[in-house]
Every structure is written in structure tokens, then in C-alpha cells.
Amino acid sequence: MNTFLNRLMGRVKLGGLLAVAAPILAIVFAMLITSVVLIAAGKPALDTFGWLIDNGSQPRSIVNIVNLGTTYYLAAVAVAIGFRMNLFNIGVDGQYRLAALISAAVGGAAVLPGVLNIVLVVVVAVAVGGLWAAIAGFLKVRRGVSEVISTIMLNAIATAFGSWLLIEHFGTVNGNAIATTPIPDNAHVPAAAIVPGTQLGINTFVIVAIVVGIAYAVVLSRTRFGFNLRATGRSEPAAVASGVSVKKMVLITMILSGGAAGLIGMPELLGSSFTYNTNFPAGLGFTGIAVALLGRNNAVGMAIGALLFSFLDTSSDILQLHDISPEIVKIMQGAIVLSVIIAYELAHRYRLVAEQRRVSRELLEGAAA
Amino acid sequence: MDHPRAPWSTVDITVCHQALRKEEAAIGTATVTQPAVELEGITKRFPGVVANRDITMSVAKGHIHAIVGENGAGKSTLMKILYGMQRPDEGDIRIDGKPVSFHTPSDAIAAGIGMVHQHFMLADNLTVLENVILGSEPTKGGVAIDFGSARAKIKEISDAYGLGVEPDTLVEDLGVGARQRVEILKVLYRGARILILDEPTAVLVPQEVDELFDNLRGLVREGLTILFISHKLDEVLKVADAITVIRRGTTVASVEPKSVTARQLAELMVGSELPSPETRESTVTEVVAIAVSGLTVLSADGRKLIDDVSFEIHKGEVLGIAGVEGNGQAELVEAIMGMRPSTGTVRVGLERRAESEEEGTSASEDRDHAGRPASATMSMHDISAWPTLRRREHGIGYIPEDRHRHGLLLEAPLWENRILGHQTQKPNVKGIWIDRKGARADTQRIVFTYDVRTPGIEVAADALSGGNQQKLIVGREMSGDPAVLIASHPTRGVDVGAQAAIWDHLRDARAKGLAVLLISADLDELIGLSDSLKVILRGRIVADVDPANVTPEQLGSAMTGAGEAQ
Ligand SMILES: Nc1ncnc2c1ncn2[C@@H]1O[C@H](COP(=O)(O)OP(=O)(O)OP(=O)(O)O)[C@@H](O)[C@H]1O
Ligand SMILES: [Mg+2]
């Protein structure tokens, strides 16, 4: 049914120009909200946006935006896979952290040479993410435990389990930091310095993200499996009657979502940190939820959302120079997600009215002719 | 005692209107009182269709007013507008002469309008009492739910209108007729003086229909006004005081039941004659298509919902199952489809199916068995352990009783709904890929062949009227020439014209060897289409009936167990 939740989850589509107009409207609205906050804090609103854009369009920032966006995008896809089936995998966060830790340890052990080691690291990460998510899937299928609850718990467990693994098994103490053995040089994902004006390179893992995005879109909309997944998300009883084994779907989808989550830490691990340590970025799973909502679980929409979020996060550094807290962009990100939801809602109503006008006009013309 | 602020008490209903009903002649004639409902110039457009076009009608107070019209004519839309679920684009609504404008159903409820939807909306695991007060819980001192006063009030209403509803029974233990009375009671509890019933009789067997009509007559005697939609024209003529006919979104006639016959009414609606479900000559063969034996289904608490049911259906045979709804029909069907655990065996006759899988030939080719000496290649396979998908792949079609729950993805476009249940079959898929082109083309075919009224195949299924959704499902399940069709209420909610068309399709397929398990509350349909009939009561087959020598009345009493020797 054309309900709010269905529109929120992108199960009801908005076609044509409106699909573009709605998010732009939302961003404008979010800027308004942010301006109000800035002005209330006695800061110059327009200038702030100017600084953000200035800084964000620097060559080195562009590279950083793409790199961070890659990570955000993978996180969003991981979340969206579940969303499309009405599975709320809140556990993406724990899944990718555990996956990054274990795969970092495997990579550091350098059991395979060069590129093969990269492949091994990625495979291990996907497997760990998938397996960790499978626990939640299994609990839901066997015991009827809500995946929301179990994945939140599993996040906490992943944190504790991860610390224990790092401290007791995989980590070596270096000063006051604990880190896994670094992955050897020959197994680093190269960066491509293709943006003129900066030495910084774009992490070639972006290609993997693009492939994942395309695969996500194609599998969902063009394959039998994708059909079954969407059907289950839309109506479980109807899916059952059509011959879909919902339990199997829950398990598979959870594993796919977790597997994709396993990729989230890879650009960082294979492209810049080469080791898992206590400073490894956390909380990306939650960014993924926001980006998935922003992009309405749509492959292209999420890409735009991921870039927008990483633009804000990257360019906000400059604000400190102007004595503005960079956290203002967090407010803006929140405002964007909220206003996108509202804007889509408005666009839907507008479309309905416009369509009705068109029908009546055509009818009038038909009557006159 | 702190009563809820319901705009209602038993007393004010009973007072005045008994005398009025007699005085009010048909609509249109001048009446002493204000009409209860006046709709003027109502227009409602949806993308691609005009559901209501300048509708004007008036409903006299204390009348049972029927609204008839073919599928997609705009009946439900009009009622939803009156109930505040949809806003009209143009037009005025007056209740008791006062102009109103409803934004939500709560506005309509506050104005004394209640609606019972075609699909019941009761929570199974709650009691009648809990269901009735859900959403308008009376409280004691503002905090605790005041069950005592609610129970008293339910009793009061139930007694006042002879509904016979017991507040403390669980809804899941009630049959459809009783559930419907609970729905009505729920609406009355909220203070409705104008009742809208959308196809209330579609799920009821004749006795229940009679009971319902007695209840309705009781309600109007107390001064309530009832609007009801139905496709069963005989019933309409029996119970209505006035009839409005809607065709393609506009009112085409307001008639008095005394002055028309069902045939004339059908002609007004669709411009065609009343169909008859008579089967012509028998096409039953010797070959068993599906054999069920010792099928037993247990409920969660171990009761037998289906108790040792056995039957065989031959190729070219329609086996009808007669029974009051809620006697195990749904469970029987779900067990045969593999959607529900059961014991006992289900076997199907498979011919050349197994071969074709090896050869990889197209499914539609090898199912076309018309005129072949089928027995030569036929063998029985035990499918009891097969999952639903495999059963469907092997040519078992399924028309579910609840089209919204089991038959459709409401927010998906029609062509995706064409794929549903046939995700592994041509022309919907090629290997692991969805064949969009094939599915779209075949949806177009179904829309054309089954006369599904829709602006296109890209619209979402919930944009279709109930009857048109049903036609789409029937068309889908008949595609690819199934060997066995499990059909629950195949013509539920479709208009008389479409009903005849569906019957024709079923007969044609039967002549080509289709075996049908037919479950229906429409006894004429059941008797007319079936080659043999079994009566189900409390999960057991209690009688075999020869459809050639039974009247609907006899069948009806067999279904309630009246003739059963205990
Ligand atoms: N939400 C909607 N969006 C788009 N079109 C709709 C919507 N609801 C109804 N329609 C269209 O409006 C028309 C009237 O539909 P309605 O449901 O009122 O028919 P009906 O008379 O109740 O038919 P039925 O006897 O089949 O139930 C149909 O053409 C239908 O496709
Ligand atoms: Mg309807």
C-alpha cells in the first residue's frame, strides 16, 4: 500500500523530475535549519556555507570526499539490503568492525603473497561480516527474536569480543596503542592520484564500491532472487503463498547484508591504515543507516547521499579556523535526513494532485472534441 | 461511574424513527424528514481514472440503501469518501441536512458514520470485547481500562439489535458470520447512526446472509440508516428499500426494488444478462489428477482443524467443497499448497513433467495435454513433503481466499504481480533473471482476456478495484495451463458479468483436463460448476452430495450439520 513506511523505504517510487526536486528541496530546507542554528549561535550563516563549499572543492578535499564516500556508500548498501526486505540490520556497525579486525589479523599474517593477500583479506572480511550477521538471522528464523534487538546486542558483543581478540590474540602493543601486525606493502590497495593539484590518490577500492552498487541494483530489480526479496519485504504472507521460503530469505539476506558490511572497513584497512587498532573508525554502520534513508535504498540515490555526507564531514575541518564547531555539519546531516523524508512526502502529494489535474484536463478536452 | 465520551447511548437510538420508515417512499419523492445522507456532485479522480464523476444521490433515513455496479464502477471509492478515508475533488456531502467535510474517518465517526470494510479488520487473538473497544478504550478515572462498563455496553447493544455477540469469546473462535456481527457491533459501539457495509455478504453462506439481513432490518427499525454494496442482485432485491446503480463512476439509475427484477438490474449495471453457472456436459476422465488421503492439520494447541480428509479429483473434474466458512477450508487449502504443516498424503498425477525437466522444454508445451491419452504417461507422485514453490512449479494453481493477504503485492505494479507465485516459470523469468518484457506482455494478455479494468499494467495493484484485483489473480493462476487449480472463492467480489466470464474460463480449462478444487460461499456457483460435492463441517468431510440433485437450500442445511446424524 502507498503508506508512509513504504514510501520511506523506497518501495513506492517517485518518477521523473520530482525524484530530483525532492532531495534538492530537502537540502535547501536543511540549510535553512542549519542557518537558524548558526545565527542563533551568533555565527554568519552564509559565510559558513561558503567556507564549506570552498574547502570542499579543493583538490585534496575532493579526493578525501570520494574516499570517505566509498566507505559510506558500502555502509549504506549493507543497510539497504536488509531494509528492502523489512529487515532492520542495526548490527552493520559491529559486523564491519569485527570483520575489519579479523581480516586485518589474517592480512598481517601474510600467508599469501601480494594481490592474493588482498583477496584473502576481503574474503575473510566478507565471511566474518556475513557470519556475524547470520547469528541474528538464525535467531530470528529459529527463535523469532527481532533482528533489531539481536543486532543491537551483537554490536555490544562485537565490541567486547573485538577488544578481547585484539588484546589477547591479534594485537601487539606499540607505545600505548594496540594494533594488529600491519599488512605488508605488497598487499596494499593502490591509490590513484588522478585529481590534478594534489598528491593524494583516490583509493581504488572505489571500483569495488561501484561494482557492489551495480550488483545491488541489478540483483534487486532484475533477478528472481531480488524479486523474492522485495516480495517478502512488501508482504510476507503473499510471499509465502507464492512459494518463497521466508526463513531462507531472512537468513540469506542477513548474510548478504553482513557480507556487504564486511567490506566497509576495507578501503581504510587496505588503503590507509593497513592495521586494525583502537583508532579504527567506528560508528560507520549508523552513518550507513542515515545514508540509506537519504538515498531511499536506491543505488544511485545512496551514492549521492554518501558523497553529500562525506563532503560535509570532510569540508567541516575548515570551520574550526573560523571558530565554528565542525559539529554543525552533524546538525545539518540530521536535518537533511529529516527534510528528505518530508520533501518526498510533499512531492508524493504534489504528484498526485498534478496527475489528477492532468486527468481532468484530458477528460475535458476529450469531452469537447 | 466515568463513562467515555461516546456520542451515543442506547436510549436516544430507540426513540423516534420507527414510524418514519413506512412513510418515506422511494428516494426522490418528497419526504417529511431530511435525508440521512446527501451526496451532491461528488467527483474523485485517480491517476488515469475518474472513479466518481458528478455523483448525486440521497439516502433516506431509516432505509437500507443498496449500491450496485460493475467492478471498478466507483462504489467503494464513493463509500470511502463518505467515511472520510478519501477526500472528494469536488462535491458536497450533507448529513441530516448539514454540510460536512471529513478529513479522516474519525471525523466521519464523530458525525455518526461507521463503515465495515469488505476485509475484516479484527485481531484474532483478542476477545470480542477487546476488539470492540480497541482504539476507543473507556477508562476508569482516566487510567485503567474500564472493562466492566464496556462489557455492559456491548451486551446492551447486542441485545438491542439481536446481534447475539458474546463479549468474552476469542475472535479466532468465531465464524465469519459472527465476526461480521462483531464488526457491526464495533461500529455501533462508536455511535454510528449511518452504517456502510462494503460487500458484506461476499463471504457468507445463505443462512448467514439471512441472519445478517434480519440484523440489518432490526437496525433500521431502530432508526439507523444502512448503505450497502453487493454484487448479489437477488439479495439486493430482497433486502433493500432503495437501489442506486453506478456505472463508470456516475449514477445511472435510482430504482425501487419492487419495480425491477435481478435481470433488469444486471442490465442497468453492465448491459448484459444474468449468467448461470450451469456446467454443460461432464468432462470428467478416469485419470486422477490429485489425490488427498488422511490429511490432518492441527492447530497450535493441538486441536484438529482438518481431520482425516480424503478425496480424489480427476482430470476434467471440479470438486466442490461446501461449508460454512471457518470449518477448515482455509487450512485444507493451505495444507494442499504446502503452506501449513499437515500429516497424511497429497499425491498428484504427473505426466511428462519429469521428462520435460530433463529436456528443458517449455512448461506450457508439455502441459498442453488436450486430447492425449494421458493415462499412458501418467504416474502418481507423493508431493506431501514438497515446498510450496515446487508444487506450484508442477502445475498447481492457487486462488487464495484473501486476495490482499495472500494474492497480491499491493504496492507493486500489475506486471510484478503477474510474476508472483510464478517466479520460476515462463514467461516471467529466463534462468535467474526476471523477464520483464515477457512478464509485461503476458500481463497485458491477462488484462485483455480477463477484462481487468485498469489504466495500465504499470499501476500498483492497490489502485484496482476489488473485483478487478480478483480478475487479475484468476487470470494469473489460469496462465500456463495448470493441471490442478485450488480455487477459494474464485469470483468473490466480481460483478455478474465478470463472474460469467470467469466461469467460462474455468469450464474451458476443465474441458481441457483441468482438475479444480472449488471452495465457495456462493452455493449457486458451487452447485452449478461442480461435478461432485463434499460437505465440510468442523474440519471433517461429513457428506457427499450429488450436485445434479441438490437445491441450495438442501445444501445449506447440510453445511450447518442440520441433517447430520450425531
Ligand atoms: N487508490 C487508488 N489509486 C488509483 N486508482 C484507484 C484507487 N482506488 C480506486 N481506484 C480506481 O477507481 C475506480 C473505482 O474503484 P472502486 O474501488 O471504487 O470500484 P468498485 O465499484 O468498488 O469496484 P469493485 O466492485 O470491483 O469493488 C477503479 O477504476 C479503480 O482502479
Ligand atoms: Mg469495491
Side-chain angles (χ1 to χ4, degrees), chain B residues 151-182:
Chain B
R151 186 174 289 116
K153 192 164 148 191
I154 289 173
K155 278 245 171 67
E156 214 171 82
I157 302 172
S158 175
D159 293 346
Y161 303 112
L163 294 175
V165 169
E166 280 300 324
D168 293 311
T169 34
L170 272 179
V171 165
E172 66 181 355
D173 295 332
L174 297 178
V176 247
R179 282 177 195 226
Q180 186 144 43
R181 288 193 293 275
V182 174

Side-chain angles (χ1 to χ4, degrees), chain B residues 11-20 61 193 221-223:
Chain B
V11 197
D12 63 37
I13 282 194
T14 30
V15 224
C16 38
H17 301 282
Q18 266 150 354
L20 289 176
K61 196 167 281 175
R193 318 256 312 123
R221 235 177 283 125
E222 304 296 337

